[in-house]
Amino acid sequence: MADFSSNEYSWCEMTIDWGGRIIDGITEIEYTKKQEKGSLYGRGCDPHKIIRGNKSYEGKVSIWQSELEAMTRDAPDKDILKLNFSVGVSYVPHDGGQIVRDTLISVEFTEVKKGMKQGDMNMIVELPIIFTRVKNQQ
């Protein structure tokens, strides 16, 4: 019988990297893999099977303004919407458990929106992303 570990990973056990460096100024990451699905109908009123269509990938990252400005300086025409890169998300448990790494391939930002309000001590910028696929558990 397979051994199943129910240990959970925490934020402090995650490392996120892109562009060849670990990103210290990241406060959130979220990524989603979707697939179009439908029902195949024939004789009768009930579906006969589930059919599958295209896959899509999207998410968001939240980073410090200073990380955004550093990427903007290095982006083509100083426009981060022109960047294309891979993102590595590694879950590295402190207790020596299994390391899990997901790699988001061909990531691009779809929008950049800056803002602050009274009392903010730093700016966190939320950047929506799209990508072409995710390699799970690399």
Side-chain angles (χ1 to χ4, degrees):
M1 185 168 167
D3 182 29
F4 177 75
S5 172
S6 61
N7 291 342
E8 300 297 324
Y9 300 99
S10 68
W11 179 259
C12 62
E13 294 173 316
M14 273 179 61
T15 299
I16 299 159
D17 61 88
W18 67 60
R21 70 181 185 92
I22 294 172
I23 307 301
D24 286 330
I26 189 162
T27 61
E28 178 181 9
I29 187 162
E30 178 180 294
Y31 48 101
T32 303
K33 175 181 178 179
K34 297 180 186 178
Q35 184 168 30
E36 296 173 357
K37 293 189 178 186
S39 298
L40 178 64
Y41 289 93
R43 185 186 62 78
C45 296
D46 294 324
H48 291 262
K49 70 186 282 187
I50 302 297
I51 53 177
R52 293 174 178 83
N54 290 330
K55 293 179 181 177
S56 63
Y57 304 87
E58 63 187 25
K60 67 179 178 177
V61 295
S62 295
I63 60 173
W64 298 338
Q65 179 190 8
S66 59
E67 293 282 7
L68 173 66
E69 302 306 341
M71 286 189 300
T72 301
R73 275 191 303 275
D74 295 338
D77 300 324
K78 302 208 181 307
D79 182 355
I80 70 163
L81 298 180
K82 292 183 177 182
L83 289 175
N84 183 293
F85 52 95
S86 293
V87 173
V89 182
S90 301
Y91 304 88
V92 184
H94 296 300
D95 65 2
Q98 179 183 355
I99 296 172
V100 174
R101 181 172 172 87
D102 294 339
T103 304
L104 314 182
I105 305 299
S106 196
V107 176
E108 293 198 11
F109 300 115
T110 61
E111 178 180 328
V112 180
K113 181 179 175 181
K114 292 182 181 180
M116 292 185 80
K117 62 185 178 303
Q118 198 285 324
D120 285 351
M121 297 176 66
N122 68 317
M123 181 188 293
I124 302 295
V125 182
E126 182 179 294
L127 301 166
I129 58 172
I130 60 171
F131 50 103
T132 59
R133 69 184 183 278
V134 60
K135 292 181 181 179
N136 295 108
Q137 298 187 5
Q138 297 298 298

